[in-house]
Amino acid sequence: MALSSMTGFARSHGASGPYTFEWELKSVNAKGFDLRMRLPPGWDDLEALAKKRAGEVLSRGTVYANLNVKRANALSTIRINEDVLASIVRVAGVLAGKIDAVAPSIDGLLSIKGVIEVVEPESDEAEDKAAKAAAATAFEAALVNLVEMRRREGIALGQILAQRMDEIEKLAKKAEAAPGRKPDAIRARLAEQIAALLESSDRFDPDRLNQEAIMIATKADIREELDRIVSHIAQAREMIGKGGPVGRRLDFLAQEFNREVNTCCSKSNDIELTNTGLEMKNVVEQFREQVQNLE
Protein backbone atom coordinates (compact mmCIF):
# COMPACT_ATOMS: atom_id res chain seq x y z
CA MET A 1 0.00 0.00 0.00
CA ALA A 2 1.36 3.39 -0.99
CA LEU A 3 1.60 6.47 1.18
CA SER A 4 -1.08 9.12 0.69
CA SER A 5 -0.94 12.86 1.11
CA MET A 6 -3.77 14.72 2.83
CA THR A 7 -3.84 17.42 0.16
CA GLY A 8 -5.50 17.10 -3.23
CA PHE A 9 -8.07 18.46 -5.66
CA ALA A 10 -10.56 16.78 -7.99
CA ARG A 11 -13.46 17.77 -10.23
CA SER A 12 -16.18 15.83 -12.05
CA HIS A 13 -19.11 16.74 -14.29
CA GLY A 14 -22.43 15.10 -15.01
CA ALA A 15 -25.87 15.57 -16.52
CA SER A 16 -29.31 14.05 -16.15
CA GLY A 17 -32.48 15.23 -17.86
CA PRO A 18 -32.60 19.02 -17.68
CA TYR A 19 -29.86 19.13 -15.01
CA THR A 20 -26.11 19.60 -15.37
CA PHE A 21 -23.84 19.54 -12.34
CA GLU A 22 -20.22 19.84 -11.28
CA TRP A 23 -18.45 18.55 -8.18
CA GLU A 24 -15.31 20.15 -6.77
CA LEU A 25 -13.41 18.38 -4.00
CA LYS A 26 -10.50 19.96 -2.15
CA SER A 27 -8.58 18.18 0.60
CA VAL A 28 -6.29 19.82 3.18
CA ASN A 29 -4.32 18.69 6.24
CA ALA A 30 -6.16 17.88 9.49
CA LYS A 31 -5.67 15.74 12.58
CA GLY A 32 -8.72 13.61 11.75
CA PHE A 33 -11.19 13.21 8.90
CA ASP A 34 -13.98 15.66 8.12
CA LEU A 35 -16.14 16.18 5.01
CA ARG A 36 -17.67 19.64 4.71
CA MET A 37 -20.31 19.95 1.98
CA ARG A 38 -21.96 22.86 0.23
CA LEU A 39 -25.07 21.70 -1.62
CA PRO A 40 -27.85 23.58 -3.45
CA PRO A 41 -31.28 23.74 -1.76
CA GLY A 42 -33.16 20.49 -2.24
CA TRP A 43 -30.02 18.38 -2.78
CA ASP A 44 -29.28 17.65 0.89
CA ASP A 45 -30.13 13.95 0.35
CA LEU A 46 -26.64 13.48 -1.08
CA GLU A 47 -24.81 14.44 2.12
CA ALA A 48 -25.21 11.18 4.06
CA LEU A 49 -24.16 9.05 1.08
CA ALA A 50 -21.16 11.25 0.30
CA LYS A 51 -19.92 11.22 3.91
CA LYS A 52 -20.25 7.45 4.09
CA ARG A 53 -18.29 6.85 0.89
CA ALA A 54 -15.59 9.40 1.69
CA GLY A 55 -15.15 7.95 5.18
CA GLU A 56 -14.58 4.50 3.67
CA VAL A 57 -11.59 5.56 1.54
CA LEU A 58 -10.07 8.45 3.52
CA SER A 59 -8.82 8.37 7.11
CA ARG A 60 -7.40 11.88 7.58
CA GLY A 61 -7.79 15.35 6.10
CA THR A 62 -10.57 17.91 5.80
CA VAL A 63 -12.37 17.59 2.47
CA TYR A 64 -14.44 20.48 1.12
CA ALA A 65 -17.07 19.28 -1.36
CA ASN A 66 -18.98 21.80 -3.47
CA LEU A 67 -21.84 20.88 -5.83
CA ASN A 68 -22.98 23.34 -8.51
CA VAL A 69 -26.26 22.50 -10.25
CA LYS A 70 -27.88 24.14 -13.28
CA ARG A 71 -31.25 23.36 -14.82
CA ALA A 72 -31.78 23.91 -18.52
CA ASN A 73 -34.94 25.68 -19.73
CA ALA A 74 -35.76 26.61 -16.18
CA LEU A 75 -36.65 30.27 -16.43
CA SER A 76 -38.03 31.90 -13.30
CA THR A 77 -41.16 34.05 -13.60
CA ILE A 78 -42.14 37.24 -11.80
CA ARG A 79 -45.46 37.57 -9.99
CA ILE A 80 -47.02 40.56 -8.21
CA ASN A 81 -48.43 39.73 -4.81
CA GLU A 82 -51.74 41.58 -5.15
CA ASP A 83 -52.66 41.25 -1.48
CA VAL A 84 -49.39 42.76 -0.25
CA LEU A 85 -49.57 45.56 -2.83
CA ALA A 86 -53.20 46.40 -1.89
CA SER A 87 -52.27 46.60 1.79
CA ILE A 88 -49.38 48.97 1.05
CA VAL A 89 -51.61 51.22 -1.09
CA ARG A 90 -54.22 51.41 1.69
CA VAL A 91 -51.59 52.36 4.25
CA ALA A 92 -50.17 54.96 1.84
CA GLY A 93 -53.68 56.46 1.42
CA VAL A 94 -54.18 56.73 5.17
CA LEU A 95 -50.79 58.38 5.65
CA ALA A 96 -51.44 60.83 2.78
CA GLY A 97 -54.30 62.36 4.79
CA LYS A 98 -52.11 62.85 7.84
CA ILE A 99 -48.76 64.02 6.53
CA ASP A 100 -47.56 66.13 3.66
CA ALA A 101 -45.64 63.65 1.48
CA VAL A 102 -45.15 62.77 -2.14
CA ALA A 103 -47.39 59.96 -3.38
CA PRO A 104 -45.53 56.68 -3.83
CA SER A 105 -44.32 55.90 -7.35
CA ILE A 106 -44.77 52.57 -9.10
CA ASP A 107 -41.07 51.68 -8.96
CA GLY A 108 -41.05 52.61 -5.27
CA LEU A 109 -43.97 50.29 -4.56
CA LEU A 110 -42.42 47.44 -6.54
CA SER A 111 -39.14 47.75 -4.65
CA ILE A 112 -40.84 46.99 -1.34
CA LYS A 113 -40.01 43.51 -0.13
CA GLY A 114 -42.82 41.02 -0.72
CA VAL A 115 -44.54 42.90 -3.53
CA ILE A 116 -42.63 41.07 -6.26
CA GLU A 117 -42.22 37.32 -5.96
CA VAL A 118 -39.86 35.14 -8.01
CA VAL A 119 -41.63 31.92 -8.93
CA GLU A 120 -39.37 28.98 -9.69
CA PRO A 121 -40.54 26.45 -12.29
CA GLU A 122 -42.13 23.33 -10.94
CA SER A 123 -39.84 20.33 -10.81
CA ASP A 124 -40.56 16.78 -11.87
CA GLU A 125 -40.07 14.25 -9.07
CA ALA A 126 -38.79 11.51 -11.38
CA GLU A 127 -36.31 13.88 -13.06
CA ASP A 128 -35.07 15.11 -9.68
CA LYS A 129 -34.58 11.56 -8.40
CA ALA A 130 -32.65 10.54 -11.50
CA ALA A 131 -30.51 13.68 -11.33
CA LYS A 132 -29.58 13.05 -7.69
CA ALA A 133 -28.62 9.46 -8.51
CA ALA A 134 -26.41 10.73 -11.35
CA ALA A 135 -24.88 13.37 -9.03
CA ALA A 136 -24.06 10.63 -6.51
CA THR A 137 -22.25 8.70 -9.26
CA ALA A 138 -20.37 11.85 -10.26
CA PHE A 139 -19.33 12.34 -6.62
CA GLU A 140 -17.91 8.82 -6.63
CA ALA A 141 -15.87 9.68 -9.72
CA ALA A 142 -14.54 12.86 -8.12
CA LEU A 143 -13.67 10.94 -4.95
CA VAL A 144 -11.73 8.34 -6.95
CA ASN A 145 -9.76 11.14 -8.63
CA LEU A 146 -9.08 12.80 -5.28
CA VAL A 147 -7.79 9.56 -3.77
CA GLU A 148 -5.55 9.02 -6.79
CA MET A 149 -4.09 12.52 -6.56
CA ARG A 150 -3.44 12.09 -2.85
CA ARG A 151 -1.65 8.83 -3.58
CA ARG A 152 0.52 10.40 -6.27
CA GLU A 153 1.54 13.14 -3.85
CA GLY A 154 2.08 10.50 -1.17
CA ILE A 155 4.56 8.65 -3.40
CA ALA A 156 6.51 11.88 -3.89
CA LEU A 157 6.45 12.52 -0.13
CA GLY A 158 7.71 8.99 0.50
CA GLN A 159 10.74 9.64 -1.69
CA ILE A 160 11.49 12.86 0.18
CA LEU A 161 11.14 11.14 3.57
CA ALA A 162 13.45 8.33 2.44
CA GLN A 163 16.05 10.93 1.47
CA ARG A 164 15.76 12.54 4.89
CA MET A 165 16.35 9.15 6.52
CA ASP A 166 19.49 8.71 4.42
CA GLU A 167 20.72 12.12 5.56
CA ILE A 168 20.01 11.39 9.23
CA GLU A 169 21.78 8.03 8.95
CA LYS A 170 24.83 9.69 7.38
CA LEU A 171 24.94 12.33 10.13
CA ALA A 172 24.54 9.67 12.84
CA LYS A 173 27.57 7.84 11.42
CA LYS A 174 29.44 11.14 11.34
CA ALA A 175 28.60 11.71 15.00
CA GLU A 176 29.69 8.15 15.79
CA ALA A 177 33.07 8.81 14.19
CA ALA A 178 33.55 12.30 15.70
CA PRO A 179 36.98 12.70 17.36
CA GLY A 180 35.28 14.05 20.48
CA ARG A 181 33.64 10.65 21.04
CA LYS A 182 36.90 8.70 21.15
CA PRO A 183 37.91 7.33 24.57
CA ASP A 184 41.11 9.39 24.66
CA ALA A 185 39.18 12.62 24.05
CA ILE A 186 36.57 11.71 26.67
CA ARG A 187 39.32 10.86 29.19
CA ALA A 188 41.08 14.14 28.49
CA ARG A 189 37.89 16.16 29.07
CA LEU A 190 37.16 14.08 32.16
CA ALA A 191 40.64 14.80 33.55
CA GLU A 192 40.14 18.54 32.97
CA GLN A 193 36.80 18.56 34.73
CA ILE A 194 38.12 16.53 37.66
CA ALA A 195 41.03 18.92 37.99
CA ALA A 196 38.56 21.80 38.07
CA LEU A 197 36.61 20.03 40.82
CA LEU A 198 39.75 19.54 42.90
CA GLU A 199 40.73 23.19 42.54
CA SER A 200 37.31 24.36 43.67
CA SER A 201 37.29 22.16 46.78
CA ASP A 202 39.53 22.50 49.87
CA ARG A 203 38.83 18.96 50.93
CA PHE A 204 39.60 15.86 48.94
CA ASP A 205 36.67 13.44 49.12
CA PRO A 206 37.53 10.28 47.12
CA ASP A 207 33.95 8.96 47.22
CA ARG A 208 32.44 12.16 45.92
CA LEU A 209 35.21 12.47 43.33
CA ASN A 210 34.44 8.98 42.11
CA GLN A 211 30.71 9.78 41.86
CA GLU A 212 31.37 13.01 39.95
CA ALA A 213 33.74 11.20 37.57
CA ILE A 214 31.11 8.55 36.84
CA MET A 215 28.46 11.24 36.26
CA ILE A 216 30.70 13.24 33.92
CA ALA A 217 31.63 10.11 31.96
CA THR A 218 27.97 9.15 31.65
CA LYS A 219 26.98 12.59 30.40
CA ALA A 220 29.77 12.54 27.82
CA ASP A 221 28.62 9.23 26.31
CA ILE A 222 25.96 9.43 23.54
CA ARG A 223 26.11 5.73 22.66
CA GLU A 224 22.57 5.12 23.87
CA GLU A 225 21.14 8.07 21.92
CA LEU A 226 22.89 7.05 18.71
CA ASP A 227 21.60 3.49 19.07
CA ARG A 228 18.04 4.78 19.44
CA ILE A 229 18.45 7.06 16.41
CA VAL A 230 19.54 4.04 14.34
CA SER A 231 16.50 2.12 15.63
CA HIS A 232 14.17 5.02 14.72
CA ILE A 233 15.65 5.13 11.21
CA ALA A 234 14.85 1.44 10.74
CA GLN A 235 11.29 1.93 12.01
CA ALA A 236 10.72 4.96 9.77
CA ARG A 237 11.97 3.11 6.69
CA GLU A 238 9.73 0.16 7.47
CA MET A 239 6.64 2.38 7.81
CA ILE A 240 7.45 4.36 4.66
CA GLY A 241 7.94 1.12 2.72
CA LYS A 242 4.74 -0.44 4.07
CA GLY A 243 2.67 2.67 3.33
CA GLY A 244 -0.94 3.23 4.31
CA PRO A 245 -2.18 5.81 6.83
CA VAL A 246 1.03 6.06 8.88
CA GLY A 247 1.17 9.86 9.23
CA ARG A 248 0.42 9.91 12.96
CA ARG A 249 2.98 7.20 13.74
CA LEU A 250 5.69 8.93 11.71
CA ASP A 251 4.87 12.21 13.43
CA PHE A 252 5.41 10.54 16.81
CA LEU A 253 8.67 9.04 15.53
CA ALA A 254 9.80 12.51 14.41
CA GLN A 255 9.32 13.71 17.99
CA GLU A 256 11.44 10.80 19.24
CA PHE A 257 14.16 11.69 16.71
CA ASN A 258 14.12 15.26 17.94
CA ARG A 259 14.40 14.17 21.59
CA GLU A 260 17.46 11.99 20.95
CA VAL A 261 19.20 14.63 18.83
CA ASN A 262 18.61 17.29 21.49
CA THR A 263 20.16 15.00 24.09
CA CYS A 264 23.19 14.43 21.86
CA CYS A 265 23.66 18.18 21.53
CA SER A 266 23.29 18.80 25.26
CA LYS A 267 25.88 16.10 26.10
CA SER A 268 28.40 17.26 23.54
CA ASN A 269 31.58 18.99 24.68
CA ASP A 270 33.05 18.93 21.20
CA ILE A 271 32.34 21.63 18.60
CA GLU A 272 32.33 19.20 15.66
CA LEU A 273 29.92 16.87 17.43
CA THR A 274 27.70 19.81 18.35
CA ASN A 275 27.61 21.04 14.75
CA THR A 276 26.75 17.53 13.54
CA GLY A 277 23.93 17.37 16.09
CA LEU A 278 22.54 20.74 15.00
CA GLU A 279 22.67 19.69 11.36
CA MET A 280 20.84 16.47 12.25
CA LYS A 281 18.24 18.49 14.17
CA ASN A 282 17.60 20.57 11.05
CA VAL A 283 17.05 17.45 8.91
CA VAL A 284 14.74 15.97 11.55
CA GLU A 285 12.66 19.16 11.45
CA GLN A 286 12.43 18.90 7.65
CA PHE A 287 11.31 15.30 8.06
CA ARG A 288 8.65 16.30 10.59
CA GLU A 289 7.31 19.09 8.35
CA GLN A 290 6.84 16.67 5.44
CA VAL A 291 5.21 14.08 7.70
CA GLN A 292 2.52 16.65 8.57
CA ASN A 293 1.20 16.24 5.01
CA LEU A 294 0.77 12.46 5.23
CA GLU A 295 -2.52 10.70 5.80
Side-chain angles (χ1 to χ4, degrees), residues 114-130:
V115 174
I116 292 181
E117 296 177 343
V118 179
V119 180
E120 300 293 341
E122 292 185 4
S123 59
D124 182 274
E125 185 176 350
E127 287 181 346
D128 289 353
K129 185 176 181 180

Side-chain angles (χ1 to χ4, degrees), residues 8-266:
F9 179 83
R11 181 183 285 124
S12 68
H13 302 81
S16 176
Y19 293 99
T20 58
F21 40 80
E22 177 186 70
W23 282 101
E24 282 189 356
L25 304 184
K26 182 176 70 172
S27 175
V28 297
N29 295 355
K31 291 183 178 180
F33 172 71
D34 185 24
L35 176 62
R36 302 181 184 181
M37 306 193 70
R38 191 170 67 182
L39 302 171
W43 292 70
D44 297 336
D45 299 348
L46 296 172
E47 184 169 358
L49 175 64
K51 287 189 173 182
K52 180 177 182 298
R53 284 296 298 125
E56 290 172 351
V57 296
L58 302 174
S59 61
R60 291 182 72 196
T62 296
V63 179
Y64 297 92
N66 181 40
L67 174 62
N68 293 311
V69 178
K70 293 181 180 180
R71 185 179 178 187
N73 304 319
L75 298 177
S76 301
T77 58
I78 303 298
R79 181 175 64 190
I80 304 287
N81 190 319
E82 300 288 351
D83 293 335
V84 173
L85 180 59
S87 297
I88 293 173
V89 171
R90 282 198 303 270
V91 172
V94 173
L95 292 176
K98 296 180 178 180
I99 60 175
D100 184 15
V102 178
S105 62
I106 293 177
D107 57 346
L109 290 171
L110 295 179
S111 66
I112 298 174
K113 186 177 180 180
V115 174
I116 292 181
E117 296 177 343
V118 179
V119 180
E120 300 293 341
E122 292 185 4
S123 59
D124 182 274
E125 185 176 350
E127 287 181 346
D128 289 353
K129 185 176 181 180
K132 289 176 182 178
T137 301
F139 175 82
E140 182 75 25
L143 186 61
V144 169
N145 292 336
L146 179 68
V147 170
E148 179 59 27
M149 182 176 182
R150 285 169 48 131
R151 284 178 179 168
R152 286 199 304 269
E153 291 195 7
I155 292 172
L157 282 173
Q159 294 171 348
I160 294 173
L161 294 177
Q163 291 173 2
R164 296 295 173 266
M165 285 300 97
D166 291 344
E167 293 173 19
I168 292 173
E169 183 178 46
K170 185 184 298 183
L171 290 168
K173 290 179 179 178
K174 184 178 179 180
E176 175 74 38
R181 285 208 66 249
K182 293 183 178 180
D184 291 344
I186 294 176
R187 279 196 294 270
R189 289 200 304 273
L190 186 59
E192 291 176 3
Q193 293 170 345
I194 290 174
L197 284 173
L198 292 174
E199 289 179 4
S200 63
S201 176
D202 296 334
R203 298 180 57 190
F204 179 77
D205 186 341
D207 291 336
R208 185 187 173 193
L209 181 62
N210 185 58
Q211 292 174 2
E212 293 289 345
I214 293 174
M215 187 177 298
I216 292 171
T218 301
K219 287 183 177 180
D221 186 18
I222 60 171
R223 174 75 272 153
E224 188 175 343
E225 287 74 21
L226 290 177
D227 286 344
R228 281 198 289 264
I229 288 173
V230 171
S231 175
H232 295 339
I233 292 171
Q235 291 179 58
R237 283 174 171 163
E238 181 181 0
M239 281 188 271
I240 293 169
K242 188 176 296 184
V246 295
R248 285 195 184 95
R249 294 169 61 193
L250 284 173
D251 186 47
F252 173 78
L253 201 57
Q255 297 176 42
E256 294 299 306
F257 268 121
N258 194 54
R259 184 177 295 112
E260 302 302 339
V261 174
N262 282 340
T263 304
C264 288
C265 290
S266 65

